[in-house]
């Protein structure tokens, strides 16, 4: 991206409760530099949900799910100006519901099909809500059976007119809710941590929903049709913590990663095409043809700090890169996007050690890095927040601060 300001190799910024070091390192490929860091620090290190980015009335905003300590007023959905990171509005979560899971990943979508979008998020009030993206006023509310953990999906999924909002709470009850607030159907699938995804798994032109669950024993990948019926279900050895979907030669692919390191790929009919064991806390998110070889790759990480490029069709490992040697709790998966505006994608890999790295998807070479001495638990959000034709990285840190980063070659 176009760099707006020069940045020293190591700087120091004040953080709530102490001093947090940050810095950018220029490597062979370029520089990853800081545009801004939001003033949303909290006295805890456990924020672990990804922001959403959207342009509303000609102004780009970042919608950050911020959590804090229990019984405080630190929790809420915070709308930030994408230009400088300043707070535009906050929809608070009441102190009695304020926890590390207060607000799940938000999604910006037009549920009614009238051109007016809303910011949807599930919260520890045991509801999924829709907020006016310009003001933060609550416009939609539906009860859940437990607190929400996953990002809602808005799509024309269930039979009947109009679109639905699809959301799973942490206990695994999946709700499909019409735009008028009535429930189309619900299913209990077991504890759910991974964001569900839509794809045409049976090739009939419509989309099915894939859900990864983590019940008390084992786990499962389940595909459901629009009426809530099971198309297929496959057991996993351990609970599914991350789930993603893509395509290989026009056919759908679902990839699940479990807490004990199992990464498994399934074809549209549920046939398992390949499997790897990468060690504890494997994670997946990005699927795409990053090296332009005609076949997409799945980019997987694990607690060992190693990033792997896996051929999505064969399961062959194309390359491996060590992102950190630190003894981390886990590693979030990377995102894939065009960070320098040249029409080809780069990987933006974040680490639980607070590092952010630009990685060449064809070789695994680390091109640039940025660091704050604060953990990261979720993949970054990539979006063109300054309308310059290339993506910026929007990263949620454990202390509740959001960092916006530019990459320039």
């Amino acid at each position: 991206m176009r760099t707006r300001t020069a940045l020293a190799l190591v700087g120091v910024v004040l953080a709530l409760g102490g001093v947090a070091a940050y810095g950018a390192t220029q490597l062979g490929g370029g520089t990853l530099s800081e545009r801004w860091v939001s003033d949303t620090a909290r006295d805890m290190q456990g924020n672990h949900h990804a922001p959403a980015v959207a342009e509303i009335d000609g102004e780009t905003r970042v919608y950050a799910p911020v959590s804090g300590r229990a019984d405080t007023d630190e929790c809420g959905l915070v709308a930030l100006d994408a230009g400088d990171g300043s707070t535009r509005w906050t929809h608070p979560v009441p102190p009695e519901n304020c926890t590390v899971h207060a607000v799940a990943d938000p999604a910006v979508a037009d549920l009614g099909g009238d051109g007016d979008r809303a910011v949807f998020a599930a919260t520890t009030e045991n509801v999924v809500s829709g907020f006016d993206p310009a003001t933060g006023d609550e416009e939609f509310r539906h009860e859940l059976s437990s607190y929400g953990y996953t990002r809602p999906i808005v799509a024309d999924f269930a039979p009947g007119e109009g679109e639905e909002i699809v959301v799973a709470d942490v206990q695994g009850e999946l709700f499909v809710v019409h735009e008028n607030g009535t429930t189309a159907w619900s299913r209990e699938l077991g504890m759910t941590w991974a964001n569900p995804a839509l794809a045409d798994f049976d090739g009939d032109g419509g989309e099915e929903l894939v859900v990864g669950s983590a019940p008390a024993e084992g786990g499962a990948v389940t595909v459901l049709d629009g009426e809530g019926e099971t198309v297929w279900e496959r057991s996993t050895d351990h609970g599914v913590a991350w789930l993603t979907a893509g395509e290989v030669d026009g056919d759908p692919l679902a990839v699940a990663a479990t807490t004990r390191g199992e990464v498994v790929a399934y074809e549209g009919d549920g046939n398992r095409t390949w499997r790897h064991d990468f060690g504890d806390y494997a994670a997946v998110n990005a699927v795409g043809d990053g090296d332009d070889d005609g076949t997409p790759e799945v980019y997987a990480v694990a607690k060992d700090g190693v990033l792997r490029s896996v051929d999505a069709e064969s399961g062959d490992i194309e390359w491996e890169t060590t992102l950190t040697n630190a003894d981390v709790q886990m590693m979030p998966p990377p995102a894939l996007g065009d960070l320098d505006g040249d029409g080809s994608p780069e990987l933006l890999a974040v680490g639980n050690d607070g590092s952010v790295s630009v990685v060449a998807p064809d070789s695994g070479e680390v091109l640039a890095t940025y660091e704050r001495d604060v953990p990261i638990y979720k993949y970054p959000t990539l979006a063109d927040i300054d309308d310059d034709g290339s993506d910026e990285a929007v990263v949620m840190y454990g202390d509740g601060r959001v960092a916006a980063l530019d990459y320039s070659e």
Side-chain angles (χ1 to χ4, degrees):
M1 271 163 215
R2 300 180 180 92
T3 305
R4 299 301 192 276
T5 59
L7 180 66
L9 293 184
V10 177
V12 176
V13 292
L14 290 178
L16 187 63
V19 176
Y22 70 85
T25 302
Q26 183 170 347
L27 302 175
T31 303
L32 188 60
S33 57
E34 178 187 299
R35 288 179 58 88
W36 50 259
V37 177
S38 67
D39 185 19
T40 52
R42 300 295 188 259
D43 188 20
M44 55 96 78
Q45 300 283 305
N47 277 271
H48 60 281
H49 290 284
V53 178
E55 183 178 326
I56 304 297
D57 298 330
E59 181 177 312
T60 303
R61 292 187 179 177
V62 174
Y63 298 95
V66 180
S67 294
R69 292 193 179 277
D71 299 318
T72 70
D73 59 1
E74 294 182 335
C75 296
L77 181 66
V78 182
L80 305 172
D81 187 313
D84 59 12
S86 60
T87 298
R88 302 304 300 269
W89 55 258
T90 299
H91 186 91
V93 171
E96 60 268 26
N97 301 110
C98 187
T99 75
V100 69
H101 305 295
V103 185
D105 297 20
V108 182
D110 177 9
L111 177 60
D114 57 2
D116 291 330
R117 289 182 293 170
V119 187
F120 294 95
T123 76
T124 47
E125 294 180 83
N126 293 356
V127 299
V128 57
S129 296
F131 305 99
D132 184 309
T135 65
D137 294 337
E138 188 178 53
E139 300 177 329
F140 178 93
R141 187 179 181 93
H142 189 276
E143 300 292 327
L144 304 176
S145 60
S146 183
Y147 67 86
Y149 195 87
T150 65
R151 182 177 58 237
I153 297 173
V154 174
D156 185 3
F157 178 55
E161 295 184 5
E163 294 185 325
E164 292 78 36
I165 184 167
V166 182
V167 62
D169 64 31
V170 74
Q171 293 301 324
E173 186 162 3
L174 178 74
F175 292 86
V176 178
V177 182
H178 293 301
E179 57 192 61
N180 63 5
T182 61
T183 300
W185 53 265
S186 64
R187 281 281 304 271
E188 292 187 8
L189 298 172
M191 184 172 288
T192 303
W193 299 325
N195 287 330
L198 287 173
D200 183 7
F201 284 94
D202 60 9
D204 66 353
E207 289 185 313
E208 290 75 42
L209 184 75
V210 60
V211 182
S213 57
E217 296 182 0
V221 176
T222 306
V223 171
L224 304 171
D225 65 19
E227 295 181 340
E229 300 297 323
T230 299
V231 178
W232 55 260
E233 184 173 271
R234 300 292 181 265
S235 297
T236 56
D237 291 342
H238 302 280
V240 176
W242 303 85
L243 182 71
T244 191
E247 287 189 356
V248 176
D249 292 332
D251 297 321
L253 186 78
V255 185
T258 73
T259 55
R260 292 298 178 89
E262 184 183 21
V263 176
V264 191
Y266 302 93
E267 293 179 330
D269 59 3
N271 180 51
R272 192 180 78 181
T273 60
W274 51 263
R275 178 188 180 278
H276 286 289
D277 188 347
F278 292 141
D280 286 350
Y281 299 110
V284 294
N285 174 47
V287 179
D289 187 8
D291 57 8
D292 197 29
D293 66 351
T295 302
E297 288 76 39
V298 176
Y299 300 98
V301 293
K303 187 179 184 294
D304 60 4
V306 177
L307 171 62
R308 303 157 176 91
S309 174
V310 184
D311 185 294
E313 183 174 26
S314 67
D316 294 340
I317 298 176
E318 298 182 345
W319 52 256
E320 296 182 344
T321 293
T322 298
L323 297 173
T324 180
N325 291 308
D327 183 16
V328 293
Q329 180 180 345
M330 50 79 71
M331 285 291 284
L336 189 67
D338 185 4
L339 297 175
D340 57 12
D342 67 352
S344 298
E346 290 77 35
L347 282 168
L348 199 289
V350 295
N352 189 238
D353 61 347
S355 64
V356 182
S357 301
V358 179
V359 179
D362 59 345
S363 66
E365 178 187 3
V366 177
L367 304 176
T369 63
Y370 169 90
E371 293 183 349
R372 290 185 70 234
D373 190 20
V374 181
I376 304 171
Y377 295 95
K378 198 62 178 283
Y379 49 71
T381 301
L382 303 185
D384 185 3
I385 64 174
D386 59 2
D387 198 28
D388 69 348
S390 54
D391 289 335
E392 283 78 40
V394 180
V395 183
M396 170 62 80
Y397 279 83
D399 63 356
R401 290 184 185 267
V402 178
L405 308 175
D406 273 329
Y407 174 64
S408 60
E409 289 189 318

